[in-house]
Amino acid sequence: MKRAIYPGTFDPITYGHLDILNRAIKLFDEIIITVAINPAKSPLFTLTERKELIEQVLGNHQEKKRVRIEGFDGLLVNFARQKKATAIIRGLRAVSDFEYELQMALMNRRLADEISTVFMMPHEKYTYLNSTIVKEVARLGGDVSNFVPPTVKRALLKKISQP
Ligand code: ADP
């Protein structure tokens, strides 16, 4: 059983995240989407909302049985060990992601040599996409249909219309 964790804030999940997940599921038997509580990033959605949105988006996914969604707060390699995962999946969009990601991957390897970080590149059409920019576009009244699934779009519009 090859298991990997796919950590992130997922505030909210985008087509970029899904692209990476769809690639990763072909390489591993099970993927645990690990949703970081991450108060430092002041997420727009609560942890429960972020997990529910992922759950809804994966509703009809072919490989749903091989994907789990869990919340997490703490040292990532400890979580990976606890779940008997051997890999950490990370998406690489641009060179700008690289420096931070390399540092994290090397630190995690120092902490847990048996766990490898696997970098995956999304389809070119998602290389400019991140949750922050999607939230910004939604806030400014832009159409986010090409960036997030319909359920996420609805949740975003509802959230930003709240006082
Ligand atoms: P962000 O980096 O936008 O705050 P997350 O922390 O939720 O998003 O990201 C979780 C993981 O998903 C990271 O490895 C990140 O690089 C990856 N990811 C996010 N958006 C994309 C995208 N558009 N293409 C590829 N990977 C992505």
PDB file of all heavy atoms in Angstrom, residues 6-11 14 16-17 20 41 89-93 97 101 120 122 126-127 129-132, ligand 1:
ATOM      1  N   TYR A   6      -1.114  14.892   0.828  1.00  0.00           N
ATOM      2  CA  TYR A   6      -1.080  16.082  -0.031  1.00  0.00           C
ATOM      3  C   TYR A   6      -1.512  17.260   0.846  1.00  0.00           C
ATOM      4  O   TYR A   6      -2.686  17.513   1.041  1.00  0.00           O
ATOM      5  CB  TYR A   6      -2.021  15.876  -1.226  1.00  0.00           C
ATOM      6  CG  TYR A   6      -2.106  17.079  -2.161  1.00  0.00           C
ATOM      7  CD1 TYR A   6      -1.054  17.975  -2.301  1.00  0.00           C
ATOM      8  CD2 TYR A   6      -3.256  17.308  -2.917  1.00  0.00           C
ATOM      9  CE1 TYR A   6      -1.141  19.064  -3.146  1.00  0.00           C
ATOM     10  CE2 TYR A   6      -3.350  18.393  -3.774  1.00  0.00           C
ATOM     11  CZ  TYR A   6      -2.291  19.269  -3.880  1.00  0.00           C
ATOM     12  OH  TYR A   6      -2.382  20.360  -4.717  1.00  0.00           O
ATOM     13  N   PRO A   7      -0.516  17.948   1.432  1.00  0.00           N
ATOM     14  CA  PRO A   7      -0.837  19.007   2.383  1.00  0.00           C
ATOM     15  C   PRO A   7      -1.035  20.383   1.738  1.00  0.00           C
ATOM     16  O   PRO A   7      -0.434  20.683   0.695  1.00  0.00           O
ATOM     17  CB  PRO A   7       0.398  19.027   3.281  1.00  0.00           C
ATOM     18  CG  PRO A   7       1.518  18.634   2.372  1.00  0.00           C
ATOM     19  CD  PRO A   7       0.934  17.722   1.315  1.00  0.00           C
ATOM     20  N   GLY A   8      -1.850  21.191   2.371  1.00  0.00           N
ATOM     21  CA  GLY A   8      -2.050  22.557   1.896  1.00  0.00           C
ATOM     22  C   GLY A   8      -3.117  23.232   2.725  1.00  0.00           C
ATOM     23  O   GLY A   8      -3.679  22.625   3.651  1.00  0.00           O
ATOM     24  N   THR A   9      -3.381  24.478   2.398  1.00  0.00           N
ATOM     25  CA  THR A   9      -4.417  25.209   3.128  1.00  0.00           C
ATOM     26  C   THR A   9      -5.776  24.982   2.461  1.00  0.00           C
ATOM     27  O   THR A   9      -6.802  24.945   3.132  1.00  0.00           O
ATOM     28  CB  THR A   9      -4.066  26.720   3.167  1.00  0.00           C
ATOM     29  OG1 THR A   9      -2.677  26.862   3.435  1.00  0.00           O
ATOM     30  CG2 THR A   9      -4.839  27.429   4.259  1.00  0.00           C
ATOM     31  N   PHE A  10      -5.772  24.860   1.145  1.00  0.00           N
ATOM     32  CA  PHE A  10      -6.999  24.602   0.381  1.00  0.00           C
ATOM     33  C   PHE A  10      -8.103  25.602   0.758  1.00  0.00           C
ATOM     34  O   PHE A  10      -9.203  25.213   1.127  1.00  0.00           O
ATOM     35  CB  PHE A  10      -7.467  23.151   0.579  1.00  0.00           C
ATOM     36  CG  PHE A  10      -6.442  22.137   0.181  1.00  0.00           C
ATOM     37  CD1 PHE A  10      -5.626  21.526   1.136  1.00  0.00           C
ATOM     38  CD2 PHE A  10      -6.258  21.801  -1.146  1.00  0.00           C
ATOM     39  CE1 PHE A  10      -4.654  20.599   0.771  1.00  0.00           C
ATOM     40  CE2 PHE A  10      -5.285  20.869  -1.531  1.00  0.00           C
ATOM     41  CZ  PHE A  10      -4.489  20.272  -0.563  1.00  0.00           C
ATOM     42  N   ASP A  11      -7.749  26.885   0.639  1.00  0.00           N
ATOM     43  CA  ASP A  11      -8.669  27.959   1.082  1.00  0.00           C
ATOM     44  C   ASP A  11      -9.113  28.823  -0.095  1.00  0.00           C
ATOM     45  O   ASP A  11      -8.667  29.986  -0.184  1.00  0.00           O
ATOM     46  CB  ASP A  11      -7.969  28.804   2.144  1.00  0.00           C
ATOM     47  CG  ASP A  11      -8.901  29.861   2.722  1.00  0.00           C
ATOM     48  OD1 ASP A  11     -10.070  29.537   2.983  1.00  0.00           O
ATOM     49  OD2 ASP A  11      -8.475  31.011   2.901  1.00  0.00           O
ATOM     50  N   THR A  14      -8.977  24.538  -5.603  1.00  0.00           N
ATOM     51  CA  THR A  14      -9.093  25.070  -6.973  1.00  0.00           C
ATOM     52  C   THR A  14      -8.860  23.940  -7.990  1.00  0.00           C
ATOM     53  O   THR A  14      -8.465  22.830  -7.609  1.00  0.00           O
ATOM     54  CB  THR A  14      -8.029  26.155  -7.238  1.00  0.00           C
ATOM     55  OG1 THR A  14      -6.739  25.509  -7.255  1.00  0.00           O
ATOM     56  CG2 THR A  14      -8.037  27.257  -6.197  1.00  0.00           C
ATOM     57  N   GLY A  16      -6.412  23.836  -9.837  1.00  0.00           N
ATOM     58  CA  GLY A  16      -4.970  23.556  -9.758  1.00  0.00           C
ATOM     59  C   GLY A  16      -4.701  22.437  -8.759  1.00  0.00           C
ATOM     60  O   GLY A  16      -3.965  21.490  -9.044  1.00  0.00           O
ATOM     61  N   HIS A  17      -5.330  22.522  -7.586  1.00  0.00           N
ATOM     62  CA  HIS A  17      -5.194  21.451  -6.588  1.00  0.00           C
ATOM     63  C   HIS A  17      -5.698  20.122  -7.167  1.00  0.00           C
ATOM     64  O   HIS A  17      -5.082  19.073  -6.966  1.00  0.00           O
ATOM     65  CB  HIS A  17      -6.031  21.772  -5.341  1.00  0.00           C
ATOM     66  CG  HIS A  17      -5.549  22.930  -4.520  1.00  0.00           C
ATOM     67  ND1 HIS A  17      -6.343  24.006  -4.186  1.00  0.00           N
ATOM     68  CD2 HIS A  17      -4.350  23.171  -3.931  1.00  0.00           C
ATOM     69  CE1 HIS A  17      -5.659  24.854  -3.438  1.00  0.00           C
ATOM     70  NE2 HIS A  17      -4.442  24.381  -3.273  1.00  0.00           N
ATOM     71  N   ILE A  20      -3.291  18.413  -9.589  1.00  0.00           N
ATOM     72  CA  ILE A  20      -2.203  17.704  -8.896  1.00  0.00           C
ATOM     73  C   ILE A  20      -2.724  16.404  -8.265  1.00  0.00           C
ATOM     74  O   ILE A  20      -2.096  15.346  -8.359  1.00  0.00           O
ATOM     75  CB  ILE A  20      -1.565  18.607  -7.803  1.00  0.00           C
ATOM     76  CG1 ILE A  20      -0.921  19.850  -8.438  1.00  0.00           C
ATOM     77  CG2 ILE A  20      -0.554  17.846  -6.957  1.00  0.00           C
ATOM     78  CD1 ILE A  20       0.280  19.590  -9.318  1.00  0.00           C
ATOM     79  N   LYS A  41      -2.242  32.061   8.144  1.00  0.00           N
ATOM     80  CA  LYS A  41      -2.651  32.529   6.817  1.00  0.00           C
ATOM     81  C   LYS A  41      -4.022  33.194   6.842  1.00  0.00           C
ATOM     82  O   LYS A  41      -4.522  33.597   5.791  1.00  0.00           O
ATOM     83  CB  LYS A  41      -2.682  31.348   5.841  1.00  0.00           C
ATOM     84  CG  LYS A  41      -1.361  31.066   5.131  1.00  0.00           C
ATOM     85  CD  LYS A  41      -1.585  30.159   3.932  1.00  0.00           C
ATOM     86  CE  LYS A  41      -0.371  30.021   3.036  1.00  0.00           C
ATOM     87  NZ  LYS A  41      -0.642  29.127   1.894  1.00  0.00           N
ATOM     88  N   ILE A  89       3.175  15.060  -1.268  1.00  0.00           N
ATOM     89  CA  ILE A  89       2.965  15.611  -2.615  1.00  0.00           C
ATOM     90  C   ILE A  89       2.928  17.130  -2.530  1.00  0.00           C
ATOM     91  O   ILE A  89       2.221  17.694  -1.675  1.00  0.00           O
ATOM     92  CB  ILE A  89       1.587  15.165  -3.186  1.00  0.00           C
ATOM     93  CG1 ILE A  89       1.429  13.645  -3.171  1.00  0.00           C
ATOM     94  CG2 ILE A  89       1.351  15.749  -4.581  1.00  0.00           C
ATOM     95  CD1 ILE A  89       2.291  12.925  -4.126  1.00  0.00           C
ATOM     96  N   ARG A  90       3.669  17.785  -3.398  1.00  0.00           N
ATOM     97  CA  ARG A  90       3.605  19.247  -3.492  1.00  0.00           C
ATOM     98  C   ARG A  90       3.517  19.641  -4.955  1.00  0.00           C
ATOM     99  O   ARG A  90       4.130  19.012  -5.818  1.00  0.00           O
ATOM    100  CB  ARG A  90       4.859  19.894  -2.881  1.00  0.00           C
ATOM    101  CG  ARG A  90       5.020  19.691  -1.392  1.00  0.00           C
ATOM    102  CD  ARG A  90       3.989  20.390  -0.559  1.00  0.00           C
ATOM    103  NE  ARG A  90       4.134  21.846  -0.588  1.00  0.00           N
ATOM    104  CZ  ARG A  90       3.234  22.674  -0.056  1.00  0.00           C
ATOM    105  NH1 ARG A  90       2.129  22.234   0.516  1.00  0.00           N
ATOM    106  NH2 ARG A  90       3.438  23.972  -0.112  1.00  0.00           N
ATOM    107  N   GLY A  91       2.771  20.700  -5.216  1.00  0.00           N
ATOM    108  CA  GLY A  91       2.662  21.197  -6.585  1.00  0.00           C
ATOM    109  C   GLY A  91       3.715  22.272  -6.824  1.00  0.00           C
ATOM    110  O   GLY A  91       3.973  23.091  -5.947  1.00  0.00           O
ATOM    111  N   LEU A  92       4.320  22.234  -7.988  1.00  0.00           N
ATOM    112  CA  LEU A  92       5.287  23.283  -8.359  1.00  0.00           C
ATOM    113  C   LEU A  92       4.726  24.038  -9.543  1.00  0.00           C
ATOM    114  O   LEU A  92       4.535  23.468 -10.615  1.00  0.00           O
ATOM    115  CB  LEU A  92       6.626  22.671  -8.771  1.00  0.00           C
ATOM    116  CG  LEU A  92       7.711  22.453  -7.729  1.00  0.00           C
ATOM    117  CD1 LEU A  92       9.002  22.089  -8.431  1.00  0.00           C
ATOM    118  CD2 LEU A  92       7.919  23.648  -6.815  1.00  0.00           C
ATOM    119  N   ARG A  93       4.452  25.301  -9.343  1.00  0.00           N
ATOM    120  CA  ARG A  93       3.858  26.085 -10.426  1.00  0.00           C
ATOM    121  C   ARG A  93       4.899  26.844 -11.213  1.00  0.00           C
ATOM    122  O   ARG A  93       4.952  26.823 -12.416  1.00  0.00           O
ATOM    123  CB  ARG A  93       2.841  27.075  -9.850  1.00  0.00           C
ATOM    124  CG  ARG A  93       1.575  26.424  -9.404  1.00  0.00           C
ATOM    125  CD  ARG A  93       0.800  27.297  -8.475  1.00  0.00           C
ATOM    126  NE  ARG A  93       1.430  27.332  -7.159  1.00  0.00           N
ATOM    127  CZ  ARG A  93       0.822  27.737  -6.073  1.00  0.00           C
ATOM    128  NH1 ARG A  93      -0.405  28.179  -6.130  1.00  0.00           N
ATOM    129  NH2 ARG A  93       1.444  27.723  -4.914  1.00  0.00           N
ATOM    130  N   ASP A  97       8.005  29.221  -6.703  1.00  0.00           N
ATOM    131  CA  ASP A  97       7.644  28.239  -5.669  1.00  0.00           C
ATOM    132  C   ASP A  97       8.878  27.490  -5.182  1.00  0.00           C
ATOM    133  O   ASP A  97       8.908  26.952  -4.082  1.00  0.00           O
ATOM    134  CB  ASP A  97       6.703  27.161  -6.246  1.00  0.00           C
ATOM    135  CG  ASP A  97       5.251  27.626  -6.360  1.00  0.00           C
ATOM    136  OD1 ASP A  97       4.900  28.607  -5.686  1.00  0.00           O
ATOM    137  OD2 ASP A  97       4.493  26.999  -7.121  1.00  0.00           O
ATOM    138  N   GLU A 101       9.948  25.663  -1.459  1.00  0.00           N
ATOM    139  CA  GLU A 101       9.628  24.228  -1.500  1.00  0.00           C
ATOM    140  C   GLU A 101      10.878  23.373  -1.286  1.00  0.00           C
ATOM    141  O   GLU A 101      10.825  22.355  -0.609  1.00  0.00           O
ATOM    142  CB  GLU A 101       8.957  23.871  -2.833  1.00  0.00           C
ATOM    143  CG  GLU A 101       7.559  24.455  -2.995  1.00  0.00           C
ATOM    144  CD  GLU A 101       6.543  23.896  -2.000  1.00  0.00           C
ATOM    145  OE1 GLU A 101       6.775  22.814  -1.440  1.00  0.00           O
ATOM    146  OE2 GLU A 101       5.517  24.562  -1.782  1.00  0.00           O
ATOM    147  N   MET A 120       5.088  17.793  -8.248  1.00  0.00           N
ATOM    148  CA  MET A 120       4.366  17.540  -9.483  1.00  0.00           C
ATOM    149  C   MET A 120       4.015  18.867 -10.140  1.00  0.00           C
ATOM    150  O   MET A 120       3.705  19.841  -9.448  1.00  0.00           O
ATOM    151  CB  MET A 120       3.095  16.747  -9.203  1.00  0.00           C
ATOM    152  CG  MET A 120       3.374  15.529  -8.358  1.00  0.00           C
ATOM    153  SD  MET A 120       2.094  14.286  -8.491  1.00  0.00           S
ATOM    154  CE  MET A 120       2.427  13.675 -10.117  1.00  0.00           C
ATOM    155  N   PRO A 122       1.533  21.050 -12.562  1.00  0.00           N
ATOM    156  CA  PRO A 122       0.168  21.007 -13.090  1.00  0.00           C
ATOM    157  C   PRO A 122       0.175  21.293 -14.591  1.00  0.00           C
ATOM    158  O   PRO A 122       1.204  21.715 -15.139  1.00  0.00           O
ATOM    159  CB  PRO A 122      -0.516  22.151 -12.353  1.00  0.00           C
ATOM    160  CG  PRO A 122       0.571  23.151 -12.155  1.00  0.00           C
ATOM    161  CD  PRO A 122       1.830  22.345 -11.934  1.00  0.00           C
ATOM    162  N   TYR A 126      -2.847  25.936 -15.400  1.00  0.00           N
ATOM    163  CA  TYR A 126      -3.063  26.219 -13.977  1.00  0.00           C
ATOM    164  C   TYR A 126      -1.835  26.806 -13.294  1.00  0.00           C
ATOM    165  O   TYR A 126      -1.819  26.964 -12.079  1.00  0.00           O
ATOM    166  CB  TYR A 126      -3.482  24.936 -13.245  1.00  0.00           C
ATOM    167  CG  TYR A 126      -4.772  24.364 -13.772  1.00  0.00           C
ATOM    168  CD1 TYR A 126      -4.858  23.027 -14.131  1.00  0.00           C
ATOM    169  CD2 TYR A 126      -5.899  25.173 -13.918  1.00  0.00           C
ATOM    170  CE1 TYR A 126      -6.044  22.496 -14.623  1.00  0.00           C
ATOM    171  CE2 TYR A 126      -7.078  24.652 -14.416  1.00  0.00           C
ATOM    172  CZ  TYR A 126      -7.136  23.320 -14.771  1.00  0.00           C
ATOM    173  OH  TYR A 126      -8.299  22.798 -15.254  1.00  0.00           O
ATOM    174  N   THR A 127      -0.794  27.116 -14.052  1.00  0.00           N
ATOM    175  CA  THR A 127       0.441  27.544 -13.402  1.00  0.00           C
ATOM    176  C   THR A 127       0.317  28.912 -12.723  1.00  0.00           C
ATOM    177  O   THR A 127       1.092  29.231 -11.844  1.00  0.00           O
ATOM    178  CB  THR A 127       1.629  27.587 -14.398  1.00  0.00           C
ATOM    179  OG1 THR A 127       1.205  28.311 -15.535  1.00  0.00           O
ATOM    180  CG2 THR A 127       2.079  26.204 -14.796  1.00  0.00           C
ATOM    181  N   LEU A 129      -2.386  29.869 -11.150  1.00  0.00           N
ATOM    182  CA  LEU A 129      -3.546  29.799 -10.255  1.00  0.00           C
ATOM    183  C   LEU A 129      -3.163  29.526  -8.805  1.00  0.00           C
ATOM    184  O   LEU A 129      -2.422  28.594  -8.525  1.00  0.00           O
ATOM    185  CB  LEU A 129      -4.434  28.659 -10.783  1.00  0.00           C
ATOM    186  CG  LEU A 129      -5.837  28.504 -10.222  1.00  0.00           C
ATOM    187  CD1 LEU A 129      -6.619  29.794 -10.361  1.00  0.00           C
ATOM    188  CD2 LEU A 129      -6.543  27.370 -10.958  1.00  0.00           C
ATOM    189  N   ASN A 130      -3.650  30.340  -7.911  1.00  0.00           N
ATOM    190  CA  ASN A 130      -3.575  29.988  -6.491  1.00  0.00           C
ATOM    191  C   ASN A 130      -4.814  30.507  -5.779  1.00  0.00           C
ATOM    192  O   ASN A 130      -5.528  31.371  -6.299  1.00  0.00           O
ATOM    193  CB  ASN A 130      -2.262  30.462  -5.835  1.00  0.00           C
ATOM    194  CG  ASN A 130      -2.164  31.965  -5.743  1.00  0.00           C
ATOM    195  OD1 ASN A 130      -3.095  32.635  -5.292  1.00  0.00           O
ATOM    196  ND2 ASN A 130      -1.046  32.511  -6.164  1.00  0.00           N
ATOM    197  N   SER A 131      -5.058  29.972  -4.588  1.00  0.00           N
ATOM    198  CA  SER A 131      -6.302  30.294  -3.880  1.00  0.00           C
ATOM    199  C   SER A 131      -6.392  31.786  -3.581  1.00  0.00           C
ATOM    200  O   SER A 131      -7.478  32.374  -3.645  1.00  0.00           O
ATOM    201  CB  SER A 131      -6.372  29.506  -2.578  1.00  0.00           C
ATOM    202  OG  SER A 131      -6.330  28.127  -2.847  1.00  0.00           O
ATOM    203  N   THR A 132      -5.271  32.398  -3.272  1.00  0.00           N
ATOM    204  CA  THR A 132      -5.276  33.820  -2.914  1.00  0.00           C
ATOM    205  C   THR A 132      -5.786  34.669  -4.076  1.00  0.00           C
ATOM    206  O   THR A 132      -6.636  35.552  -3.895  1.00  0.00           O
ATOM    207  CB  THR A 132      -3.842  34.259  -2.527  1.00  0.00           C
ATOM    208  OG1 THR A 132      -3.367  33.349  -1.540  1.00  0.00           O
ATOM    209  CG2 THR A 132      -3.798  35.672  -2.001  1.00  0.00           C
TER     210      THR A 132
HETATM  211  P1  ADP B   1      -1.465  28.087  -1.942  1.00  0.00           P
HETATM  212  O1  ADP B   1      -0.049  27.686  -2.273  1.00  0.00           O
HETATM  213  O2  ADP B   1      -2.230  28.696  -3.066  1.00  0.00           O
HETATM  214  O3  ADP B   1      -1.677  28.778  -0.627  1.00  0.00           O
HETATM  215  P2  ADP B   1      -2.095  25.597  -0.789  1.00  0.00           P
HETATM  216  O4  ADP B   1      -1.276  25.846   0.413  1.00  0.00           O
HETATM  217  O5  ADP B   1      -3.491  25.167  -0.581  1.00  0.00           O
HETATM  218  O6  ADP B   1      -2.218  26.762  -1.806  1.00  0.00           O
HETATM  219  O7  ADP B   1      -1.341  24.572  -1.736  1.00  0.00           O
HETATM  220  C1  ADP B   1      -1.250  23.216  -1.456  1.00  0.00           C
HETATM  221  C2  ADP B   1      -0.373  22.567  -2.485  1.00  0.00           C
HETATM  222  O8  ADP B   1      -1.009  22.641  -3.748  1.00  0.00           O
HETATM  223  C3  ADP B   1       0.984  23.237  -2.663  1.00  0.00           C
HETATM  224  O9  ADP B   1       1.937  22.252  -2.939  1.00  0.00           O
HETATM  225  C4  ADP B   1       0.782  24.107  -3.862  1.00  0.00           C
HETATM  226  O10 ADP B   1       1.986  24.308  -4.559  1.00  0.00           O
HETATM  227  C5  ADP B   1      -0.164  23.253  -4.667  1.00  0.00           C
HETATM  228  N1  ADP B   1      -0.946  24.066  -5.591  1.00  0.00           N
HETATM  229  C6  ADP B   1      -1.818  25.042  -5.326  1.00  0.00           C
HETATM  230  N2  ADP B   1      -2.314  25.586  -6.451  1.00  0.00           N
HETATM  231  C7  ADP B   1      -1.710  24.922  -7.482  1.00  0.00           C
HETATM  232  C8  ADP B   1      -1.738  25.029  -8.893  1.00  0.00           C
HETATM  233  N3  ADP B   1      -2.470  25.935  -9.504  1.00  0.00           N
HETATM  234  N4  ADP B   1      -0.972  24.202  -9.599  1.00  0.00           N
HETATM  235  C9  ADP B   1      -0.188  23.301  -8.981  1.00  0.00           C
HETATM  236  N5  ADP B   1      -0.081  23.158  -7.663  1.00  0.00           N
HETATM  237  C10 ADP B   1      -0.828  23.951  -6.918  1.00  0.00           C
END
